[in-house]
Amino acid sequence: MGLRVGPSLMIRAAAVLLLASFTRTAMTARIIVGDEAHWTFGYNYTDWAIRRAPFYQNDTLVFMYDAPNSTTFPHNVYLMKNYRRYLACNLKNATLLANVVQGVGSGFEYVLRNRKPRYFVCGEHDGLHCTAGMMKFAVHPLKRCHAA
Ligand SMILES: *[C@@H]1O[C@H](CO)[C@@H](O)[C@H](O)[C@H]1NC(C)=O
Ligand SMILES: *[C@@H]1O[C@H](CO)[C@@H](O)[C@H](O)[C@H]1NC(C)=O
Ligand SMILES: *[C@@H]1O[C@H](CO)[C@@H](O)[C@H](O)[C@H]1NC(C)=O
Ligand SMILES: *[C@@H]1O[C@H](CO)[C@@H](O)[C@H](O)[C@H]1NC(C)=O
Ligand SMILES: [Cu+2]
């Protein structure tokens, strides 16, 4: 019994220490969009963003996707003009952040420099990746509070 409780307590103590050090230092996170799924057609990024939230100011989003070839879909990253156009996957006046090859290797990095809400989509195939492919999500960066 004692032997089984001991290690688990030690792990818990280590986790508490780790958490404490995270809250004391104002760390910024490097967040892989979609985690293991990366930036791909058919993954629910709205759901991912809800599960992954909160996002904080100065966190870095990393969009990872392969360069297109005969067997893989091309992807890109657009910043939408506003919430309405994001909902509708309407790419009018959207800003291209990363083209179809900028997600290769270590990925395309986007820093949430301020606390403005951001609406990201893949603009490929006239918005089809955004609508049918679910390649869209919203981020509302929060101010990271420093522990006193
Ligand atoms: C994607 O996830 C959101 C949030 O969980 C959910 O409301 C929506 O129905 C999902 N979309 C699909 C097509 O499953
Ligand atoms: C975000 O980063 C910039 C540049 O490094 C820095 O000047 C600013 O104070 C940071 N803001 C927050 C809230 O951490
Ligand atoms: C296309 O790219 C994918 C992902 O990088 C790779 O696995 C695949 O072998 C490539 N196919 C061709 C035909 O080059
Ligand atoms: C797009 O932006 C241009 C320049 O800011 C503006 O004149 C135009 O009305 C905008 N179009 C739409 C549909 O928002
Ligand atoms: Cu795409």
Side-chain angles (χ1 to χ4, degrees):
M1 275 288 251
L3 281 173
R4 278 157 76 179
V5 168
S8 113
L9 277 178
M10 277 172 70
I11 288 163
R12 247 183 270 171
V16 166
L17 280 175
L18 198 65
L19 266 177
S21 69
F22 265 101
T23 48
R24 256 185 236 120
T25 51
M27 288 196 63
T28 57
R30 190 174 180 277
I31 299 158
I32 311 288
V33 174
D35 298 314
E36 309 79 42
H38 295 175
W39 188 229
T40 192
F41 189 93
Y43 185 83
N44 191 335
Y45 292 92
T46 301
D47 188 60
W48 171 81
I50 290 168
R51 284 187 284 107
R52 182 57 187 77
F55 297 86
Y56 292 100
Q57 186 179 359
N58 279 352
D59 281 353
T60 300
L61 297 178
V62 187
F63 294 84
M64 298 178 81
Y65 48 98
D66 293 320
N69 62 24
S70 53
T71 59
T72 63
F73 280 125
H75 301 294
N76 58 30
V77 184
Y78 273 91
L79 190 64
M80 299 302 255
K81 191 80 179 169
N82 58 42
Y83 183 62
R84 254 187 28 251
R85 291 197 188 148
Y86 158 76
L87 280 183
C89 292
N90 179 349
L91 285 141
K92 225 166 252 171
N93 279 11
T95 305
L96 180 68
L97 297 179
N99 66 26
V100 295
V101 297
Q102 283 179 277
V104 301
S106 55
F108 169 75
E109 298 195 347
Y110 181 92
V111 181
L112 300 167
R113 274 291 168 226
N114 55 50
R115 283 151 67 199
K116 274 190 302 196
R118 312 290 208 291
Y119 309 107
F120 300 97
V121 313
C122 175
E124 274 299 308
H125 282 71
D126 275 333
L128 183 78
H129 283 209
C130 176
T131 53
M134 295 186 280
M135 301 184 74
K136 59 184 297 189
F137 66 98
V139 168
H140 302 266
L142 304 179
K143 189 179 171 67
R144 194 181 287 278
C145 293
H146 300 241

